[in-house]
Amino acid sequence: MAGPPMGGQSMTGPPMAGMNRPFPGPPPSGQGAFQQHGTGPTAPSGYPQQSGQFGGLMSGPQPGMPGAFPGSPGGLAGPPQKKLDPDSIPSTTQVIEDDKARLGGQVFSTNIRGQVPPLVTTDFTVQDQGNASPRFIRCTTYSLPCTAELAKQCQVPLASIIKPFAKLPKNETPLYVVNHGETGPIRCNRCKAYMCPYMQFIDGGRRYQCSFCNCVNEVPVFYFQHLDHMGRRVDFYERPELSLGSYEFVATLDYCKNNKPPNPPAYIFMIDVSYTNIKSGLVKLVCDELKTLLEKLPREDGAEASAIKVGFVTYNKVLHFYNVKSALAQPQMMVVSDIAEMFVPLLDGFLVNYQDSRAVIYNLLDQIPDMFADTNESETVFAPVIQAGVEAFKAAECSGKLFIFHSSMPTAEAPGKLKNRDDKKLVNTDKEKTLFQPQKGVYEQLSKDCVAQGCCVDLFLFPSQYLDLASMADVPSHTGGSVYKYNNFQVATDGEHFLRDLRKDLQKSLGFDAVMRVRTSTGFRATDFFGAIYMNNTTDVEMAAVDCDKAVTVEFKHDDALSEELGAFMQCALLYTTISGQRRLRIHNLSLNCTSQLSEMYKCCETDSLINFFAKSAYRAILNQPVKNVRDILVNQTAHMLACYRKNCASPSAASQLILPDSMKVFPVYMNSLMKTAPLVGSTELSTDDRAHQRLSVMAMGVEDSQLQLYPRLIPLHDVDASGEAVPAPVRCSEERLSDSGLFLLENGHAIFLWLGQASPPDLIQSLFNVPSLAHLQQEHMFTLPELDNPLSKKVRGIISELLEKRPNSMKLQIVRQRDKPEMLFRQLLVEDKGLHGGASYMDFLCYVHREIRQLLT
Amino acid sequence: MSTYQEFIQQNEDRDGVRFSWNLWPSSRLEATRLVVPVSCLFTPLKERPNLPPVQYEPVMCSRANCKAVLNPLCQVDFKAKIWACNFCFQRNPFPPSYAGISEVNQPAELMPQFSTIEYIVQRGPTAPLIFLYVVDTCLEEEDLQALKESLQMSLSLLPPNALVGLITFGRMVQVHELTCEGIAKSYVFRGTKDLSSKQIQEMLGLTKPAAPGQQGRPVAPQEAAASCRFLQPVHRVDMNLTDLLGELQRDPWPVPQGKRPLRSTGVALSVAVGLLEGAFPNTGARVMLFIGGPPTQGPGMVVGDELKTPIRSWHDIQKDNARHLKKATKYYEALANRSAVNGHSVDIYACALDQTGLLEMKCLSNLTGGHIVMGDSFNTSLFKQTFQRVFSKDYNGDFRMAFGGNLEVKTSRELKVCGAIGPCVSLHSKGPSVSENEMGIGGTNQWKLCSLDPSTTLGVYFEVVNQHNAPVPQGGRGAIQFVTQYQHSNTQRRIRVTTIARNWADAQSQIQHIESSFDQEAAAVLMARLGVFRAESEEGPDVLRWLDRQLIRLCQKFGQFNKDDPTSFRLSESLSLYPQFMFHLRRSPFLQVFNNSPDESSYYRHHFVRQDLTQSLIMIQPILYSYSFHGPPEPVLLDSSSILPDRILLMDTFFQLVIYHGETIAQWRKAGYQEMPEYENFKQLLQAPLDDAQEILQTRFPMPRYIDTEHGGSQARFLLSKVNPSQTHNNLYAWGQETGAPILTDDVSLQVFMDHLKKLAVSSSA
């Protein structure tokens, strides 16, 4: 197993600039954060066994991996030599399939502390037996290093990705609601942790010791219960808060704003009716869709109708509010042109119950497109629109969500007016970060106001050019909102795609006006938070709303040594308002192991969670430092984590051998993919708005979404069993896996491509498109598959619609022929290949990392 | 002296003028010694059914600073076709169109019976009238409903081509667009933000920012179209507007317990003024404000929204405790002035049980000639009929309202104009006939009357400037010309010219004549106006002292008495009623604030300074009629002795009509005698005052409060507070008779007042 001659060559990698210092961003995610842990000593250190001659076949001297990025010197040196067998390097698809085969379809009981759950890509059923389901919380490692030194040594970040409102499959029980009566939920007197399975009842059940702060508390009289011979309360199984990892408490008035029970939330639809949106047909599309969509507002299980109120605003340079009170024969429009100091012109009649006012709302939605049909107003305002929403909620004393359908940069004279600051010259300079930073001032304050009022903003953008998304998305990204973007929107090609997004978004289950607090047992604590959140202080995570797809990544640091025996506990408590206007506390508890053995820690790592953390911390870091530095830090930390494993956990072997912990076998491919994502790849060819958009959308992602984003699914369809149930197993994301005569489906949660090989068999094309050959495909075929009555067509459409159903966002289907121009977009997602806009191939990256590791080890 | 009375009556009928003195003292010194200044009440648009307007332009004196209009007092040389101006003595040729005149072919303006003449002139395009409703929506449901109905009804009364607009307000201010189909559209303004006229117009989209490349293109039509969204011809939008009014809801903002609704009257008015200012400057327009409570927020706020803080009373104001008073008054004054400059008038229809801030807002109507109507609720016939009467028509079928009036007073050189008191603003026109001595709104000889009606009456005050040593030649006459330009309600521009002349008299030799030329009614009203005008800025007691002083001086001047012998004091017939008027004036709500809220005082004063002489006199000294079985109805003394058990009294104070049933009558009525056929005469007796009251109710504007009460009824206080308290609890037993009703008051009675007056008048030390 001769190592590759890499080290010996002129490996002048770039200076490891960021190696020993954290991202100096607001949340320093330094080495302490990036930690590691390894497979057990017996674990086949994965990789070397597979590829004996791995390095030897590397293409000549690699001029430093980052050279592959624009802006850094470098390029291909010399003709490629003999190729390394791509099958020999760790395969993500293989890892996924293995996990599926091992754990797929099984029950995962959460009764064991520090248990590593199946991968996010695996289908399994969770049985809550005292720890929160991995659907709610996943960790980078389930076995924490006992001491800060150990954590520092391995550099594996300690973090949890919490998705408090994760959707549960039908076969899992929804959370129980516990009511502790007028005095509110029972909490530890000192640390205020909520009653949970980790509380130790002592003294015959009269007192309990808090497992978070060790304080001993009296058990309230009404809550007293005897203990059995095990020291457990007799009512252990009757009380969710004693036996389950996740449950909810009914909150009392103390938990409500101004000690008043909240009103049901409201949704306000704010439609930009400037020239662009009218002309594109968007306004009509939205109005028509809302008529049916409003029937499907989220509601409590068993409720007859949704309690959510709705309101409507249209705007261009001024705002138009609508009075749709049910008593009116027709809606009334109220124009507010005082955009400098926005206010809501009416209360009663603006936010209404859809069921009551349906006739008036229909009338309104019918009229809006006509009313503005002749508009030639092209200027818009934006900040006042959000301000109007906040004021409306303030007046109605409720929380809620704004759906804003906006077309262009707000250039009208008003607060939050934006100007074009898109300067491609900044790319790859120290000032590149300014492209990601929102414009200061108005939007900052607006975010604050929104969060204070529980006003979530969902932004649907329909730009035809740069609109400073970084600034416009500032409020949504602090209020638990989502930003959707449809470049050059056309109803024919993007209409359905947009409507799918709108429908999904509107129907999402969610909580409003939320505050989240993560409590931990002594020895460690939450230090940093990433997500579509707002932090007023260092501990309370405020979210105007949080839906089933939003996740908060929480980083932990050691305060003190942890005990292997006691383990570590965390409790995430989320106070929120339900869609029917009830105040609740949602509690997720998780217990973790602690270890002083690095190998144990590495064994319990989870790559998908790690990469989620790395993505978020890197995306935040680029706000404050050059993209290149961030990439360097990522590479270095990757190398460091792996080197630490090699040094401390792997059995001795030749230095030239690359040894990876089993749990991180595919970590490099994700890391490489991350560095090739638009925000991190300094390329002038990418639109600034797209980069900012991707940056922000990843910040709120959970593990499933970030995994798919960074390793898209490439499904071969040419030899699909059209009659069977199964979906073909995905193949690796590399051009080499494509074949000229093949048909592939590629999706990453945001886009979905159907790739048609040059030599696709005509019968396949016939069955799918009803045209004799590829050459007959017209432009109109490129966005939708016709509904044909043959098994293949049905199967393919079935697969696509299932994917669309499953993902949180809609994906626009694009059909690309090999070697057609749009193929570029498709190829961008083949993450194992060299990046189109820069970035190394998986293979090159691996070699580079290996070289770094070797340098570290010597 | 029936001749003088006839003369006065004739002059009033023909020219709408009543002078305090109908012979003028020939020198400045003598004039001041007469105490009551040479002054007149002038009703510019007095209804003259027999005065057909002429269809040509007036002929004017060619002297630049004179421009007096040719009138019957001018000397005309028919041969040379030259006329001499009787004010500046300029000799002017007649215009070519007058070529054919001769002694037997005179134009109307030279005939003596046409001392008042009206010209219809063609100047510029005629603009339609504009009515902008500004409606408070913070009303009780019932009130709002009634108001909505009144407004809907009013649409049918407006001239079809008039432009109409609607602004509603509560916590917000909404300007309604009237042309839109389908969705009712309105522009909304925050009720707390003071906006400049420019901002308002921008926000309403009335000003198009000059787009590059478009400069130089005429934008006028576009602009007119833009403003038309808010002001539309009635005939085009009455359906729309009727629906809009029908759909009008109460202010949708919840009012918490213990709070007043937030009412943005100040901003609403500012928007209304701003809208008109931008779109229709110098066009006849009426802003009609309907309010059901005081402004509680934003600029012009009169009281906070906390119910526990009551609205300012006179007591607060005297103690300087009215927090918002100064600021609000200043705000509304600024608005009023802007409005006046543009010739737009503001009406206030305030219907509420509590005060609505008229004190602060009164200037809006006072300066612009708008109406103020005060009632308890919009759901009363008082409001409904009064409002309807705003749109009443004259014998020609034209509205009894005129706009954009401009009154100019020209005097012959012995006289100068000191000022005017009435619903007008100064136009600051300096001229040779303007006195430095100001009385009322002075320093000018031209005033703007944004809106006027046939009863609008100004008090105009003059000064004799002729020096004592340069007396006017015997038989000389002084002349005054009133030139009133205005927009008739049928949108014609008209000019009415009234030229009057009076003889000069030497006060020393002809004091008797002067005395007999005294018009005590006119003088009382004119002095009262001066008093009321002073009361707006001075403390009440100071004004009373000033009035008393004037009265005493007048009595000293004209009374016949032996020094220091009160019993010898006599006044001639032409002055005999004057002290009594003053007595009642002193007790009137125009000068006394006791028992009146500041709003009421403002309301009473508002009407007092604009009504004609007859109405003004009723206000000063209410009229009392008595009905009994003893004879036909008769006017009786306004005295407590007139209150008898077997009488029904009808008192007209202008603002109130009180029918008072004496004790016995009330008992009979209670017993139901009027239902019995054999007591038909009793029924008729009961009916008689009702019929008379009905007659008054039907003609008066604003409609008086109608009170039907009886002996011992709580409403009887309206009567008891007006009558001369000749019998009070203090002197009841001294009189020892059972006639009349004692009044529980410490006010002095007329008798006591007169005794004091006599004493002071004859006192040699005074």
Side-chain angles (χ1 to χ4, degrees), chain A residues 635-648:
Chain A
V635 178
N636 292 337
Q637 196 163 1
T638 306
H640 211 103
M641 283 162 61
L642 298 176
C644 176
Y645 175 76
R646 172 71 181 262
K647 195 168 158 190
N648 297 301

Side-chain angles (χ1 to χ4, degrees), chain B residues 558-685:
Chain B
F558 294 102
Q560 292 172 345
F561 54 87
N562 302 326
K563 264 203 163 49
D564 295 325
D565 178 8
T567 52
S568 66
F569 185 84
R570 293 284 177 280
L571 272 178
S572 71
E573 198 181 333
S574 60
L575 279 99
S576 59
L577 294 175
Y578 188 81
Q580 190 182 329
F581 289 141
M582 289 299 122
F583 169 75
H584 286 293
L585 176 64
R586 287 177 102 268
R587 306 183 75 216
S588 73
F590 311 111
L591 296 179
Q592 295 288 351
V593 298
F594 180 74
N595 250 343
N596 286 309
S597 68
D599 273 11
E600 283 169 323
S601 301
S602 307
Y603 173 66
Y604 294 142
R605 286 173 185 173
H606 164 86
H607 283 287
F608 184 71
V609 297
R610 61 162 52 203
Q611 291 293 344
D612 61 19
L613 181 131
T614 319
Q615 307 297 341
S616 300
L617 269 188
I618 296 176
M619 291 187 218
I620 294 174
Q621 181 174 337
I623 297 173
L624 195 63
Y625 288 97
S626 171
Y627 299 79
S628 72
F629 287 120
H630 308 298
E634 52 176 2
V636 289
L637 285 177
L638 184 65
D639 191 294
S640 56
S641 62
S642 302
I643 304 174
L644 296 169
D646 59 347
R647 304 286 157 95
I648 304 174
L649 296 175
L650 170 64
M651 180 178 72
D652 178 8
T653 73
F654 184 83
F655 299 103
Q656 293 110 8
L657 264 187
V658 184
I659 295 179
Y660 175 92
H661 298 91
E663 197 171 0
T664 319
I665 301 272
Q667 281 164 358
W668 288 342
R669 188 167 67 154
K670 206 173 270 170
Y673 283 101
Q674 68 274 26
E675 308 296 338
M676 300 178 201
E678 59 270 41
Y679 291 100
E680 179 67 23
N681 59 342
F682 180 58
K683 190 176 176 185
Q684 280 169 3
L685 180 67

Side-chain angles (χ1 to χ4, degrees), chain B residues 58-61 66-72 74 83 85-87 109 117 119 410 481 483 495 497 499:
Chain B
V59 174
M60 285 192 289
C61 172
C66 175
K67 299 251 177 196
V69 178
L70 178 63
N71 61 68
C74 294
W83 61 279
C85 172
N86 59 329
F87 292 96
E109 64 264 37
I117 187 166
Y119 301 86
K410 298 176 194 300
Q481 187 170 63
V483 181
I495 300 174
V497 181
T499 316

Side-chain angles (χ1 to χ4, degrees), chain B residues 165-366:
Chain B
L166 177 65
I167 294 176
T168 57
F169 67 94
R171 183 160 166 165
M172 306 285 165
V173 177
Q174 280 174 268
V175 185
H176 295 267
E177 204 171 282
L178 302 178
T179 47
C180 33
E181 300 291 328
I183 284 186
K185 191 172 170 186
S186 58
Y187 283 68
V188 188
F189 294 81
R190 189 195 278 271
T192 50
K193 196 172 171 184
D194 196 2
L195 295 162
S196 74
S197 166
K198 192 168 156 263
Q199 280 172 312
I200 289 167
Q201 284 158 32
E202 269 171 15
M203 287 184 182
L204 289 173
L206 296 183
T207 49
K208 289 260 178 275
Q214 278 196 329
Q215 276 163 354
R217 233 185 60 193
V219 289
Q222 207 177 2
E223 200 169 307
S227 48
C228 273
R229 286 181 304 165
F230 306 108
L231 293 164
Q232 281 281 317
V234 181
H235 63 87
R236 200 181 304 162
V237 294
D238 61 351
M239 291 296 284
N240 256 2
L241 195 52
T242 307
D243 292 349
L244 198 61
L245 287 166
E247 290 251 298
L248 205 58
Q249 304 287 321
R250 290 178 64 197
D251 192 47
W253 295 86
V255 181
Q257 192 99 48
K259 301 263 189 181
R260 294 187 175 90
L262 289 174
R263 205 179 257 111
S264 326
T265 321
V267 172
L269 280 168
S270 145
V271 170
V273 169
L275 170 64
L276 291 175
E277 193 168 48
F280 296 96
N282 294 313
T283 315
R286 274 203 116 83
V287 173
M288 304 176 113
L289 173 70
F290 302 87
I291 47 174
T296 46
Q297 70 165 1
M301 164 175 161
V302 164
V303 65
D305 66 339
E306 288 284 350
L307 267 177
K308 64 181 180 209
T309 329
I311 191 165
R312 79 277 172 286
S313 61
W314 276 121
H315 185 75
D316 295 328
I317 294 168
Q318 277 150 9
K319 289 266 183 303
D320 205 15
N321 241 347
R323 264 184 66 209
H324 306 286
L325 176 67
K326 281 209 181 88
K327 222 174 133 194
T329 308
K330 209 175 141 204
Y331 177 79
Y332 291 113
E333 269 172 8
L335 273 183
N337 280 318
R338 268 166 60 192
S339 203
V341 164
N342 288 291
H344 304 140
S345 75
V346 182
D347 293 350
I348 303 175
Y349 302 88
C351 286
L353 291 170
D354 197 3
Q355 298 188 75
T356 55
L358 287 181
L359 172 67
E360 287 83 354
M361 290 191 273
K362 65 183 178 208
C363 48
L364 283 165
S365 299
N366 286 350

Side-chain angles (χ1 to χ4, degrees), chain A residues 258-413:
Chain A
N258 308 326
N259 285 334
K260 264 163 68 182
N263 290 317
Y267 283 1
I268 305 180
F269 298 89
M270 309 182 120
I271 308 170
D272 165 5
V273 289
S274 66
Y275 179 72
T276 330
N277 270 355
I278 292 289
K279 201 177 140 234
S280 71
L282 174 81
V283 174
K284 187 159 172 39
L285 189 70
V286 172
C287 290
D288 288 347
E289 179 66 21
L290 283 180
K291 284 189 226 164
T292 49
L293 198 49
L294 290 176
E295 301 280 1
K296 301 178 193 153
L297 289 171
R299 56 186 184 207
E300 294 285 340
D301 291 335
E304 210 165 274
S306 173
I308 294 175
K309 300 201 163 182
V310 293
F312 303 87
V313 170
T314 59
Y315 67 94
N316 38 44
K317 245 166 57 179
V318 297
L319 273 74
H320 320 113
F321 294 77
Y322 294 94
N323 184 350
V324 284
K325 200 174 170 168
S326 57
L328 293 174
Q330 49 176 235
Q332 292 173 348
M333 179 200 220
M334 296 175 150
V335 184
V336 173
S337 20
D338 188 1
I339 40 184
E341 259 183 89
M342 192 35 69
F343 62 95
V344 202
L346 78 170
L347 181 60
D348 186 26
F350 177 54
L351 296 177
V352 296
N353 189 319
Y354 175 68
Q355 312 297 336
D356 298 345
S357 293
R358 187 181 299 143
V360 191
I361 292 176
Y362 258 62
N363 186 334
L364 172 68
L365 293 172
D366 278 338
Q367 291 200 46
I368 287 177
D370 297 341
M371 259 191 302
F372 299 98
D374 304 326
T375 189
N376 50 12
E377 186 58 71
S378 56
E379 287 196 308
T380 54
V381 294
F382 183 64
V385 179
I386 298 178
Q387 189 72 50
V390 178
E391 299 295 331
F393 292 145
K394 219 179 256 175
E397 296 179 329
C398 69
S399 49
K401 186 144 120 168
L402 309 180
F403 294 80
I404 304 183
F405 305 92
H406 192 89
S407 66
S408 57
M409 181 145 66
T411 51
E413 203 51 60

Side-chain angles (χ1 to χ4, degrees), chain A residues 513-588:
Chain A
D513 201 8
V515 183
M516 186 174 97
R517 179 83 180 257
V518 179
R519 293 185 172 81
T520 51
S521 53
T522 48
F524 76 120
R525 69 192 154 89
T527 53
D528 208 349
F529 302 87
F530 305 85
I533 56 169
Y534 185 83
M535 301 280 296
N536 222 352
N537 51 38
T538 53
T539 52
D540 292 335
V541 178
E542 293 180 53
M543 290 170 282
V546 51
D547 65 42
C548 57
D549 296 312
K550 297 284 183 296
V552 179
T553 299
V554 184
E555 191 188 358
F556 299 103
K557 290 245 174 75
H558 282 83
D559 270 343
D560 202 349
L562 295 168
S563 137
E564 281 190 62
E565 189 191 335
L566 293 175
F569 302 109
M570 66 174 85
Q571 182 179 66
C572 160
L574 182 90
L575 175 64
Y576 73 101
T577 305
T578 67
I579 44 175
S580 60
Q582 283 177 28
R583 205 72 174 144
R584 293 260 183 89
L585 280 151
R586 181 171 275 226
I587 313 290
H588 296 301

Side-chain angles (χ1 to χ4, degrees), chain A residues 209-224:
Chain A
Q209 182 169 27
C210 172
S211 47
F212 295 93
C213 67
N214 299 325
C215 171
V216 174
N217 298 281
E218 296 289 329
V219 173
V221 176
F222 75 89
Y223 200 65
F224 174 79

